[in-house]
Amino acid sequence: MGAEGTAKFGRTGVTVEEAQRRIAERIGIGCTGTERVGLLEAFGRRLAEPIFADAPLPHFRRSGLDGYAVRAADTAGATPQSPARLRVTETIACGAVPAADVAPGTAARIMTGAAVPEGADAVVMLEMTEAEDRDGVRFVLVGKPMEPGANVAGIGGEAETGRLVLEAGSVVSAGETAVLAAFGHSVVTVARRPKVAIVATGAELLPVDAPAPLAPGRVRDSNSAMVAALVREAGGTPILWGAVDDDPSAAAFAVRSALAEADAVVTTGGVSVGDYDVMTDFCRTWDGELLFDKVLMRPGSPTSAGVRDGRPLFMLSGNPGACYVGFELLVRGALLLMQRSSEPAYRAVQAVLGEGQYPGIALRRYVRGRCHSENGTLVVVPTGADKSSHLVSLPGTDCLIVVPPGGRGVRAGDAVSALVRRHSPFA
Ligand code: AMP
Ligand code: MG
């Protein structure tokens, strides 16, 4: 074997955790910067700044019900047989300011969300009262004693001024949108989406619209589209750079120009030790910093990554299953970090393997799976044949089942660890 062969085969693998650490160390949190967008455009984005309550919520004593604002002391000892009879002084609509305080012996009709007048310290539900009209004077009968504070949301009861209500890095979803709206954020500062260029390599690749039947040995470039979807899921903007032949100079040109334009570049294919593995060749002469060229995992052990001027270059395997796993383990977290999200992309959970049998091999294995709960136990089931070349088993994947290296492996019924997507209901 010549020097070239030795270099190709002499890769020293790093663990997935070490690979993640090296990437995280080189790319800055929030390195893509921030931008201001309208509240509705902020959906799905990550907040660049924490949001603090700049006023108490609610900022007035708010009625929780339709009913009557009363002084709790006036209802002491009330029973259905001997109700408290209170004179009704006014009706307070939502958004209105009470005309007067509630004096002893009186009550105010009040709507849900309206301001509770001074003097009153409880609201009696309308259904628990009876109205009475005596010669044009309105009364309300209350048949049970009220606790002070009942059905009244106090000032700052939800959030005191200065309280952290949304953390930086939070994904803006419906609940976050409500909080932003309630505190007056019609424009929101979010992390700029990382622009991720996707370069597919392989002389066999055809465009997605290539009509059947395909020539023998040719395949449609499914990785570019799949990686674009993964980039979107991770909050980035994919830029399809197209497919390049297994020609070292064409691949090098594509990767260099992509790196000059994008915040990150993901390549697929050409990274193992075949004769036409253009990314392996590219790494040998690249002026960027190579972070690793082998990861102790299956699938996708030749997965490599480097960085140049703070911009990461992820070189994923071409096999669709390996490409998917490589992205999920190494790229997703990096894109989140670039958007200020310091939470891990995944959560490791304990589960029971629902189906299948996997021998312990030399490398830690990640099996694409799906989670569900059975009588309170989390069960993970492989999505199909776990071949790195298979892609029809990719749909529906929501976790990666971890098969530790060596030993007897795992089989159905065993406790296993699984990496569950952060926003999965099972995470
Ligand atoms: P490679 O990693 O380049 O050795 O490719 C491994 C396998 O993945 C080969 O069978 C390729 O045809 C397939 N492959 C590589 N790139 C793609 C792609 N962009 N879309 C679909 N399959 C691919
Ligand atoms: Mg190839």
Side-chain angles (χ1 to χ4, degrees), residues 107-121:
R109 176 81 176 89
I110 192 164
M111 309 302 150
T112 305
V116 175
E118 289 302 315
D121 58 1

Side-chain angles (χ1 to χ4, degrees), residues 113-127:
V116 175
E118 289 302 315
D121 58 1
V123 173
V124 194
M125 191 193 253
L126 185 66
E127 293 84 335

Side-chain angles (χ1 to χ4, degrees), residues 17-92:
E17 293 75 16
E18 173 63 12
Q20 289 168 335
R21 200 188 57 74
R22 289 187 189 182
I23 295 166
E25 220 174 60
R26 299 302 200 288
I27 53 168
I29 291 184
C31 62
T32 54
T34 65
E35 61 183 324
R36 305 263 293 155
V37 297
L39 177 58
L40 297 193
E41 279 68 57
F43 179 79
R45 308 292 297 270
R46 286 167 175 80
L47 290 180
E49 300 169 342
I51 304 290
F52 297 95
D54 63 350
L57 187 73
H59 70 279
F60 59 92
R61 295 194 311 140
R62 190 178 62 197
S63 174
L65 294 174
D66 276 333
Y68 290 88
V70 300
R71 300 172 77 100
D74 283 350
T75 63
T79 64
Q81 291 73 36
S82 154
R85 174 177 282 106
L86 306 170
R87 187 167 57 80
V88 179
T89 54
E90 64 174 315
T91 296
I92 306 163

Side-chain angles (χ1 to χ4, degrees), residues 200-201 204-205 219-223 268-270 277 317-319:
T201 71
E204 73 280 31
L205 300 180
V219 297
R220 295 192 181 95
D221 170 15
S222 56
N223 285 350
T268 82
D277 281 321
S317 290
N319 271 318

